[in-house]
Amino acid sequence: MKIQHRIAFHFTYQLILYSLLIVAITLIACIMFFMSMRNNELQRNFPVGALQMISQEAYSKDGTIRISPEWDKFIEEKGMWMQIVSAEGEVIYGVNTTSHQPLPSSYSIAELLDIQETRLLGTYTVYTQMSFSFNEPLMYLLGYQSPDLDQLVAWFDAYGQQGMVRSEEVPHLEQRLGEIGSYLQVIDSAGHTLQGIGNESYLQKGYRPLDILAIHQSPGNYDTNIVAHRDEQTGMSWVLYTPNPQGGPLKHPVMDSATRGLLWFSGVILLSALPLSIWHGYRYGQPLILFAGWFGRMRRGQYDQILTAKDMRKVFRRNGTLRFRYRLYKEVIESFYQLTHQLAQTEKERERLEKAQAEWMSGISHDLRTPLATIQGYGYMLESLPEQWSHEEMRIMGSTIREKGDYMLELISDFSLIHQLKQGESIIELREMDLDEMVRCSVLKYVNDATTSEYQFHYVGDEQPLMVQADETWLQRLMDNLLSNAVRHNPPGTVITVSIGRLNDKACIRVIDNGKGMDEETLHHLFNRYYRGTNTEESTTGSGLGMSIAKSIVEAHGGEIQVQSKLWRGTKIEILLPC
């Protein structure tokens, strides 16, 4: 997989994972939020809210009404009891009924109406809830004993007279009310307060009639419990106010729960984002720090030290594979290795070229200095005492000066020529020509040259004309360089054989001699500019650029040149040109 695809895939699946994580956290937060709302509403509206939830969550199994076992446990823990009454008045389901006073197994319409109106069944306070979730109406009864109501009834029986608290009992009752922080209010049938005994701070709260009913129905919303007892004979009502430590001031439950839920959700997201941010910074920052150190070493030219020993342990396992956090940058690391290898090779090549250039310039300077010294010496001699020299001596001096000048001109010409060839200038003009005829003429020129009569030349041509696209002038220069080198660097009596033919759809020229050959070092540097070899005894005539020019001419024609040689076993030069 390419790095761009892998990076795209990497960040895509991370985005998906993070999205799923956020969705999961959101769902959990929502569930917790709704559970908190549910529990809050249950607490604030208890027991009415509990009875409503029970009626909503009831279900039918095998024709029998059932409620959740958690509700059974909850009712038992609260010391309450519950009954479900059918349309016929029969009790079809009960919870915790055996631990209380005997409860009816069926109810008449009069009993049900009385319970719904008075919210009392004997000594129990009873809340009712009608449900129409099934095919017939059902009534849910939830009852419990109220200690405050029992205490109020007991005080009414002990201290009451014609619906009022007897005057001689007021101090005693006030003391008892003060001990528990309560307040007793006696109200007539018209709603006027006739007596008030106990902690009068309850009067400052200014409870209105509907507030009293709301507290009575949903005590969890208030910090006060209220129970009432009405005397049927006198029409008087005794109302007892007691503190409710589990209650609180009335608040908007939805907004309160939503605010807390959002705060919790934001906190969870922030706490989750912190380690993820640290992990992301470490995961993507470590490779960048590694690459920065890499660039620094490359800037200093330390190409052989791609990674330090410490970095190697960070990037690679013991078996040589990349660690997980660096797999995303696999191609980058491989490219760095290739780049540093190429830079190291380039640096070595640059050093080699600088060394070769220095040697080449040293050789050029030496070969120019030698003929110039000769020319300068003869010039001083002719300038100081020209009348002392005979015509023959002056002729020899002039000839020597001309030869040395020709040598320098050849050296400069060859240098310019090889520079043009190496720079790729368009100096080659390709035309169709007979390669066999051109090579034969080049060999024949040396055969007929009296100065090379001590060398034996043989030519092996092709039976048919060998036509190629080439520049005849440059190929003649190529053959002159090869044949003159064979003569110049071999002793008299050397046999030089030139052959031409076809090899793998290419024109092939071979120049073979049985001379003294070359050692490995000379063969290795043969095509270097201005390299003469290691033999210091041979003549230094010539520019020393012949083989370098020969190679440049062959490559300019799209060909190849190969040389094989062994010391004292001769030399074989093979040239392949496209037909």
Side-chain angles (χ1 to χ4, degrees), residues 231-260:
D231 182 22
E232 296 292 340
Q233 295 179 355
T234 61
M236 296 291 185
S237 297
W238 286 28
V239 181
L240 179 63
Y241 299 84
T242 57
N244 181 16
Q246 297 181 350
L250 184 62
K251 299 179 181 179
H252 196 299
V254 175
M255 292 302 298
D256 186 45
S257 299
T259 303
R260 290 199 303 271

Side-chain angles (χ1 to χ4, degrees), residues 74-91:
F74 175 80
I75 292 173
E76 291 176 0
E77 289 177 349
K78 291 292 184 179
M80 308 172 75
W81 57 265
M82 191 194 75
Q83 289 180 327
I84 301 178
V85 182
S86 67
E88 290 80 12
E90 299 292 331
V91 176

